[in-house]
Amino acid sequence: MTKGVYVSKVLAIGTVVATVSAVAGIITMVIVYETQRIAVHPTPRPTFEPTTPIPTGLPADLRLPEDLVPEHYLLNLHVPLHTGIRMHPINSTTNQSLLFTGNSTVNIRCVQTTVTILLHSVDLDLTCVTVTDRDSGRRMENTFFPHVNESNFLEVRLKEPLVEGGNYSLFTAFEGLLTDNLEGLYFSKYTEREKTPDGESEEAERFLAASQMQPTEARKVFPCFDEPAMKATFDVTITHRAGTTALANGLAYEPTGEEWLVTRFQRTEKMSTYLLAFAVSEFDFITTANERVAIKTYARPEAIAAGHADYAANITGKILDFYQTHFAMRYPMNKLDQLALPDFGAEAMENWGLITYRESALLYEEGVSSIDDKEWIAMVIAHELAHQWYGNLVTMQWWNELWLSEGFATYFSYMGVDHIEPEWKIKELFVGQIQTVFQTDALMTSHPLSSPPDQISTPRDIEQMFDEVTYIKGAAVLRMLADYVTDRVFQIGLRHYLKQHQFGNTEQKDLWKSLQMAVDENKGREQVAEVMDKWTNQIGYPVVIINTTTGLVQQEHFLLNRTYPDSLLEWHIPIRTMKEGNRPTLVELKDREPVNKPALKAETGQWVLSNVDCIGYYRVNYNPENWDLLLAQLEDDHYIIPVINRGQLIDDAFNLARAKYVSVELALNSTRYLRDEIEYIPWQSALRNINYFMLMFDRSQVYGPMQAYLRKQVTPLYNYFKNDTDNSNVPEQHSLQYNQINAISVACSNGLPECVSMVRDVFGEWMRPNGTNRIHPNLRTTIYCQAVAWGGEVEWEFAWLQFQSATTAVEKDKLREALACTKKIWLLNRYLQYTLEPDKIRKMDSVATIDAIARNVAGQALAWNFVRANWEYISLDYRLGWLIDGVTKRFSTDFELQELKWFKLDCEAQGRDFASRALEQAIERTEANIEWVTENEQTILDWFRSERTEP
């Protein structure tokens, strides 16, 4: 699954709209649903004792016991949702139906005698539960009761035991409610233009049903063994209204019926419940030519007619074929549907055979979508297609090793996109993702890639695993391992891994075994498990400390807050090192104690550069003399140092300064050469780190001199792109297109007069009566934001009007972000309130909108207070970690730290500590911020004052 936290240069967001009339309809259906639920009285827990000593009781770890194995499900769903609603002329009720019903028969094999069947069920009314001995055909008497707690267990007790080796079936009939919570089986809304009886055109509201099962939501659709290792095959049948199309994982047979259509689907491959997917809609589709797989891309009819799905349809087959060749294994299904949903909680979901996306992650509109949007679409598609093998075909045994799915999908997404868009040089941009996750992974409250399984038990525990450590660090260590054993050996090992474990479940030790086999076959000496276990089982990462005058090198656990006791952790580190004027060589560091490595000793007056191209997942610190030589090289001729390492030097310097390994002056000195730099990676690295300074000091006396320095540094870059910018053009080179955006953003936000004048002019031209928007799609996000920031109520209201009338998700996203840029506090307060009103801000966009407001210095305190005041509502969203991180990033005072601690205690006391890890990380980060600001504010102020002379 691609989530909002999955790092990208775009946070493309979207979710459910609910109008007042729809809310009334939902309330009505809830009342009906509750009435029906109360009418069903599940049998109370029995008190009888079994006649044989068979183990009973619920598992303490909340995991399903291994005494029963599900093999096959027959699942029938009846979804009576109307895609359009009609209002009753007298009582104003609608014809809409949000109840769904169904039944499921699961064939199970007993591998250990038991009198209890435990499976999962949540928010379902069970109307019938039957157990049958399939070997004899005999019904077995039972009682059942759901456990209303974090276990989500449905317990079925039998009067006689299920016997080891026996075959049984469990039938359940159930009712549920379609909600707008974007999980399980839910409803979504959108509008389309239609002809009225008098020939006019008007917008009409349309409904659809869709699903999201990962990680633990299948149990909200039907009772099931909802764990990744409980794989089975599925026969699905959906009953739906005429005029709609039903989709599921398998290829659909021809529907039967007239008023009600019954659509049966081909049996799935053996797979986990979280990969199931269903949809009922009026969507159209576009086909992709492929010699073996039927590929269709579904979206709103207007979007298909306008060609918005064409780019996705064009690249999907190419990426799929690339993966089939690279993995030496066919895509296991005979069809692949892609579905662009108006409301979707994640960015996308890899459901086998039916991949679901947000519209902004699948639909591309020429002339409206930016290069950023296009890249994001390609990356998300490549990510989800990689999952068809890594995650779907071969699945992690338990959620504690989610990185075996998400890390691989992230790693291969760069390869997939590089195959179809080689001119983008997308692999180089991965370094920015590594630098992002380095921030979180430098905290003691981070987590290892492979956590102990008993630490991940509840649905909330599982949801917290979907973070940047799992996705980006997972990909980064795979990238490092591939370089270490060579790409060819890595590919051989992965092919063996897929073949050996297809349709099964794995732990990381299974991956190491396959890779070790490939190493041994190619006469390598690397010991994969010995090297990699420390990277996956330990939190954090090392800093490699090199003295280039002596060749001594050592490692330490890198922490932003070094007041913690030494963790004594150590890693086996492959270090690619380049001496001035020479090619890179490989050095290995295994121990914590200093060791002498001649390859790291510099010749007199020459520099040494380690972690060439940032292949390794670690930071590097040098002796002061080597730092001086490297920074002098940047000032003299920065092209001698590879572009990725120019970004690395800046990022390492700033973070080493935060951790007190080097002076803050050294870090700031690394940015001086940027006046001569035009490449994106070094600038982006610098801006990411200077942003930390902004967060710490944009409410202090440091801010003015810092802005003056940034104006001075960015002026040459802004002028480099000025002709293109003024004419609403962009450069041809992919990375330079991004740096043009950086130039405008930095110049305008720091008050460069030419930039401020430019955004006012082009935005003002659009605001005129019958005005046109001539702003290039690439530049809209930043120009919209700066125009709103430098404007007032008039500009904000115009942007809000444009947001409401925008017909594409990508344009809405740009405007929604821009509305958070205003400096008018009363407008930001109004905007925050809109996030509680789904008819104004879709639910799926609420967290991203609050986060955008928190990034604004005028909105940070407002957002923090708003989150606390509305925590009960906001905490229903799974992206709480991202939100907590966003609203607390500026915290750097004792008062803010105390507020944060009180909030955490309050959440725990009320049983609402849904973001415990994120709150712990925020507290740790705030403590480090307080200490760092206290120690460095005067030094930083003096440095910026000394550099403030502008051209």
Side-chain angles (χ1 to χ4, degrees):
M1 176 167 61
T2 309
K3 298 196 72 168
V5 295
Y6 169 57
V7 253
S8 162
K9 290 181 292 302
V10 180
L11 295 175
I13 311 288
T15 178
V16 189
V17 168
T19 61
V20 174
S21 62
V23 170
I26 293 171
I27 293 171
T28 302
M29 295 315 303
V30 168
I31 295 170
V32 173
Y33 176 70
E34 183 67 8
T35 302
Q36 293 182 356
R37 189 190 69 78
I38 293 172
V40 180
H41 298 283
T43 308
R45 179 185 290 273
T47 57
F48 67 86
E49 293 294 329
T51 56
T52 54
I54 299 168
T56 60
L58 298 181
D61 60 1
L62 303 185
R63 296 281 299 277
L64 292 176
E66 298 180 353
D67 47 18
L68 299 173
V69 177
E71 295 181 325
H72 179 68
Y73 291 82
L74 289 170
L75 177 61
N76 297 283
L77 292 174
H78 181 77
V79 184
L81 185 78
H82 288 274
T83 55
I85 60 174
R86 296 186 303 275
M87 191 75 68
H88 193 281
I90 298 176
N91 59 22
S92 297
T93 60
T94 74
N95 65 330
Q96 189 56 281
S97 175
L98 298 177
L99 285 173
F100 70 90
T101 59
N103 62 73
S104 167
T105 301
V106 54
N107 294 338
I108 52 181
R109 178 168 46 88
C110 182
V111 296
Q112 182 177 335
T113 300
T114 179
V115 292
T116 302
I117 300 175
L118 277 184
L119 66 163
H120 296 102
S121 179
V122 181
D123 298 336
L124 295 173
D125 273 347
L126 301 176
T127 57
C128 180
V129 175
T130 302
V131 180
T132 302
D133 183 334
R134 289 196 295 128
D135 295 324
S136 66
R138 182 172 51 87
R139 292 278 183 92
M140 303 179 69
E141 187 176 347
N142 73 85
T143 54
F144 68 92
F145 31 89
H147 292 267
V148 186
N149 54 35
E150 285 189 309
S151 75
N152 296 163
F153 285 150
L154 169 62
E155 185 174 359
V156 182
R157 278 289 187 93
L158 298 147
K159 285 293 183 67
E160 56 184 301
L162 306 180
V163 179
E164 179 179 341
N167 296 290
Y168 304 89
S169 68
L170 171 67
F171 172 86
T172 55
F174 50 86
E175 296 176 345
L177 182 67
L178 296 173
T179 71
D180 62 352
N181 288 337
L182 311 182
E183 57 188 25
L185 192 59
Y186 67 93
F187 74 88
S188 172
K189 295 193 295 184
Y190 62 98
T191 59
E192 292 238 329
R193 301 204 69 81
E194 67 176 19
K195 293 287 186 181
T196 62
D198 57 4
E200 296 296 321
S201 177
E202 67 177 12
E203 286 195 344
E205 195 169 54
R206 289 287 180 265
F207 288 76
L208 64 92
S211 66
Q212 170 60 17
M213 308 298 196
Q214 192 184 48
T216 58
E217 317 305 331
R219 63 193 67 175
K220 295 182 177 180
V221 181
F222 68 107
C224 57
F225 295 84
D226 199 12
E227 291 187 357
M230 295 289 190
K231 289 189 169 184
T233 55
F234 296 82
D235 282 332
V236 175
T237 300
I238 299 177
T239 303
H240 52 105
R241 295 188 184 276
T244 62
T245 299
L247 299 174
N249 303 83
L251 194 64
Y253 295 107
E254 188 66 28
T256 59
E258 295 181 1
E259 181 179 353
W260 290 99
L261 300 181
V262 178
T263 302
R264 292 177 53 247
F265 299 89
Q266 289 182 0
R267 180 170 296 184
T268 69
E269 299 286 356
K270 186 179 179 183
M271 66 185 208
S272 305
T273 49
Y274 78 84
L275 294 171
L276 283 168
F278 317 115
V280 176
S281 73
E282 293 178 320
F283 280 7
D284 286 343
F285 64 87
I286 181 175
T287 59
T288 298
N290 190 280
E291 63 181 24
R292 192 182 66 83
V293 181
I295 302 175
K296 296 179 179 179
T297 301
Y298 287 82
R300 291 176 291 106
E302 287 183 357
I304 293 293
H308 298 170
D310 290 357
Y311 178 68
N314 181 50
I315 66 174
T316 298
K318 297 174 183 177
I319 298 174
L320 189 72
D321 288 343
F322 168 74
Y323 285 156
Q324 290 184 121
T325 300
H326 190 81
F327 303 150
M329 182 172 287
R330 281 185 165 190
Y331 168 69
M333 310 283 272
N334 58 6
K335 71 101 167 174
L336 173 62
D337 292 334
Q338 299 187 114
L339 181 62
L341 293 168
D343 299 300
F344 195 63
E347 292 296 335
M349 178 60 208
E350 64 268 19
N351 316 301
W352 221 355
L354 176 54
I355 305 175
T356 44
Y357 299 81
R358 288 189 177 197
E359 288 191 339
S360 56
L362 194 66
L363 304 182
Y364 176 82
E365 182 178 1
E366 196 70 43
V368 175
S369 301
S370 67
I371 188 64
D372 208 11
D373 300 323
K374 192 173 190 178
E375 182 190 304
W376 181 240
I377 289 167
M379 289 294 293
V380 174
I381 290 174
H383 184 100
E384 305 311 323
L385 292 180
H387 268 311
Q388 307 303 299
W389 287 266
Y390 292 94
N392 297 10
L393 182 67
V394 179
T395 311
M396 66 277 160
Q397 181 72 19
W398 181 240
W399 299 106
N400 66 306
E401 290 185 334
L402 178 62
W403 80 273
L404 290 174
S405 173
E406 299 298 350
F408 268 115
T410 303
Y411 172 75
F412 279 116
S413 65
Y414 285 85
M415 296 180 66
V417 173
D418 187 63
H419 174 72
I420 59 165
E421 303 282 7
E423 70 282 359
W424 288 357
K425 298 182 180 178
I426 196 73
K427 290 181 181 179
E428 291 184 359
L429 300 183
F430 184 60
V431 64
Q433 311 295 349
I434 295 174
Q435 291 172 2
T436 299
V437 72
F438 268 168
Q439 299 298 310
T440 301
D441 212 22
L443 302 174
M444 280 297 290
T445 44
S446 183
H447 66 88
L449 284 174
S450 179
S451 299
D454 59 358
Q455 291 183 8
I456 311 298
S457 300
T458 68
R460 285 290 180 179
D461 294 336
I462 294 167
E463 287 169 6
Q464 291 188 90
M465 292 299 293
F466 288 82
D467 67 358
E468 57 193 355
V469 170
T470 294
Y471 285 69
I472 313 293
K473 182 180 181 178
V477 298
L478 290 171
R479 176 174 174 260
M480 179 175 63
L481 177 57
D483 179 76
Y484 180 55
V485 301
T486 74
D487 289 334
R488 188 180 69 86
V489 170
F490 190 65
Q491 183 181 33
I492 293 170
L494 291 187
R495 287 177 172 181
H496 178 271
Y497 173 73
L498 289 174
K499 185 176 181 180
Q500 182 80 11
H501 300 288
Q502 58 184 321
F503 303 110
N505 297 81
T506 62
E507 299 172 324
Q508 67 177 19
K509 64 184 180 182
D510 300 308
L511 175 62
W512 305 153
K513 288 178 182 177
S514 291
L515 291 170
Q516 190 64 54
M517 179 216 67
V519 168
D520 295 343
E521 286 181 356
N522 285 270
K523 304 188 182 336
R525 300 172 59 185
E526 299 87 356
Q527 297 300 309
V528 176
E530 178 185 323
V531 173
M532 294 307 298
D533 275 342
K534 293 182 177 181
W535 291 100
T536 57
N537 294 340
Q538 299 178 162
I539 67 166
Y541 57 92
V543 53
V544 174
I545 304 169
I546 302 172
N547 187 327
T548 62
T549 61
T550 63
L552 283 176
V553 58
Q554 65 186 94
Q555 61 169 292
E556 293 179 5
H557 181 189
F558 182 81
L559 292 170
L560 289 174
N561 186 350
R562 293 175 71 195
T563 61
Y564 287 100
D566 193 336
S567 68
L568 301 179
L569 298 179
E570 63 181 24
W571 291 262
H572 186 137
I573 311 172
I575 306 172
R576 293 220 173 268
T577 295
M578 181 174 78
K579 290 184 177 180
E580 186 175 349
N582 294 293
R583 296 174 64 83
T585 58
L586 180 65
V587 175
E588 296 187 48
L589 179 62
K590 302 179 182 179
D591 304 312
R592 282 176 47 84
E593 300 304 317
V595 294
N596 191 278
K597 299 287 184 180
L600 299 176
K601 184 177 180 180
E603 304 297 327
T604 303
Q606 295 189 333
W607 48 259
V608 171
L609 178 68
S610 287
N611 200 9
V612 176
D613 289 335
C614 295
I615 295 296
Y617 189 74
Y618 55 87
R619 296 196 183 279
V620 184
N621 189 22
Y622 305 99
N623 52 303
E625 297 83 0
N626 197 62
W627 271 116
D628 289 343
L629 289 168
L630 286 168
L631 297 190
Q633 181 66 71
L634 289 177
E635 295 262 12
D636 182 49
D637 183 4
H638 57 270
Y639 292 104
I640 297 296
I641 296 178
V643 65
I644 292 178
N645 287 103
R646 302 204 294 271
Q648 174 223 9
L649 286 171
I650 294 170
D651 190 65
D652 279 354
F654 272 87
N655 286 276
L656 290 166
R658 285 179 65 181
K660 304 180 187 177
Y661 283 96
V662 301
S663 70
V664 72
E665 293 98 328
L666 185 151
L668 290 166
N669 289 343
S670 72
T671 68
R672 281 176 169 156
Y673 96 98
L674 288 174
R675 61 184 175 270
D676 299 317
E677 178 69 86
I678 64 167
E679 290 294 338
Y680 169 73
I681 290 174
W683 265 102
Q684 186 65 10
S685 179
L687 295 178
R688 184 184 297 109
N689 285 284
I690 289 174
N691 182 60
Y692 175 72
F693 282 51
M694 287 284 187
L695 292 171
M696 295 301 99
F697 299 122
D698 59 8
R699 299 170 289 177
S700 77
Q701 61 180 335
V702 176
Y703 189 54
M706 181 162 52
Q707 280 193 304
Y709 175 72
L710 289 172
R711 282 196 300 271
K712 180 180 73 171
Q713 292 299 89
V714 80
T715 296
L717 185 70
Y718 183 80
N719 289 336
Y720 179 84
F721 295 112
K722 189 174 188 303
N723 188 56
D724 277 337
T725 301
D726 290 347
N727 291 285
S728 195
N729 294 324
V730 298
E732 290 186 11
Q733 186 177 321
H734 186 70
S735 63
L736 290 183
Q737 292 182 36
Y738 286 125
N739 223 23
Q740 180 188 25
I741 297 168
N742 277 339
I744 297 170
S745 178
V746 176
C748 282
S749 61
N750 290 287
L752 189 68
E754 308 96 282
C755 186
V756 175
S757 177
M758 180 272 297
V759 299
R760 281 176 166 162
D761 288 346
V762 296
F763 199 78
E765 182 180 324
W766 186 23
M767 290 177 63
R768 295 189 194 112
N770 301 316
T772 57
N773 185 356
R774 67 178 184 88
I775 304 169
H776 191 282
N778 282 16
L779 309 180
R780 288 183 180 179
T781 297
T782 189
I783 289 179
Y784 290 174
C785 175
Q786 295 304 325
V788 170
W790 288 98
E793 181 183 1
V794 173
E795 286 77 10
W796 196 92
E797 292 290 359
F798 175 79
W800 175 249
L801 181 64
Q802 295 302 316
F803 169 78
Q804 290 180 304
S805 61
T807 58
T808 62
V810 292
E811 184 70 1
K812 277 186 173 291
D813 283 344
K814 293 174 174 61
L815 289 159
R816 182 179 49 75
E817 289 274 335
L819 288 162
C821 297
T822 181
K823 303 304 180 186
K824 307 295 182 184
I825 290 177
W826 67 275
L827 286 172
L828 291 172
N829 254 327
R830 179 208 288 180
Y831 199 28
L832 281 167
Q833 291 301 316
Y834 286 178
T835 65
L836 301 178
E837 303 176 46
D839 60 324
K840 290 185 171 68
I841 300 295
R842 286 179 179 258
K843 276 190 177 181
M844 68 181 182
D845 291 331
S846 59
V847 165
T849 304
I850 298 168
D851 179 70
I853 293 169
R855 292 199 299 269
N856 182 341
V857 63
Q860 187 274 323
L862 302 176
W864 168 236
N865 291 333
F866 179 82
V867 166
R868 288 183 294 168
N870 297 279
W871 183 247
E872 186 171 355
Y873 176 84
I874 293 170
S875 63
L876 297 174
D877 197 295
Y878 70 89
R879 295 161 294 179
L880 294 179
W882 174 22
L883 180 61
I884 292 298
D885 178 69
V887 298
T888 63
K889 273 186 176 176
R890 273 190 177 81
F891 282 12
S892 56
T893 67
D894 289 325
F895 177 74
E896 289 166 329
L897 176 63
Q898 195 58 49
E899 280 197 321
L900 191 52
K901 289 181 175 179
W902 283 337
F903 179 59
K904 184 174 185 295
L905 289 173
D906 185 53
C907 288
E908 291 171 351
Q910 298 185 39
R912 295 184 295 162
D913 53 335
F914 303 133
S916 55
R917 178 185 291 161
L919 287 167
E920 289 166 1
Q921 290 175 346
I923 290 169
E924 181 182 351
R925 185 174 57 240
T926 302
E927 291 171 339
N929 290 346
I930 292 169
E931 182 177 354
W932 186 84
V933 168
T934 301
E935 294 180 358
N936 292 286
E937 182 172 5
Q938 189 61 48
T939 301
I940 292 168
L941 176 61
D942 293 342
W943 191 92
F944 280 123
R945 281 176 172 169
S946 71
E947 296 282 331
R948 65 186 172 186
T949 303
E950 298 187 55

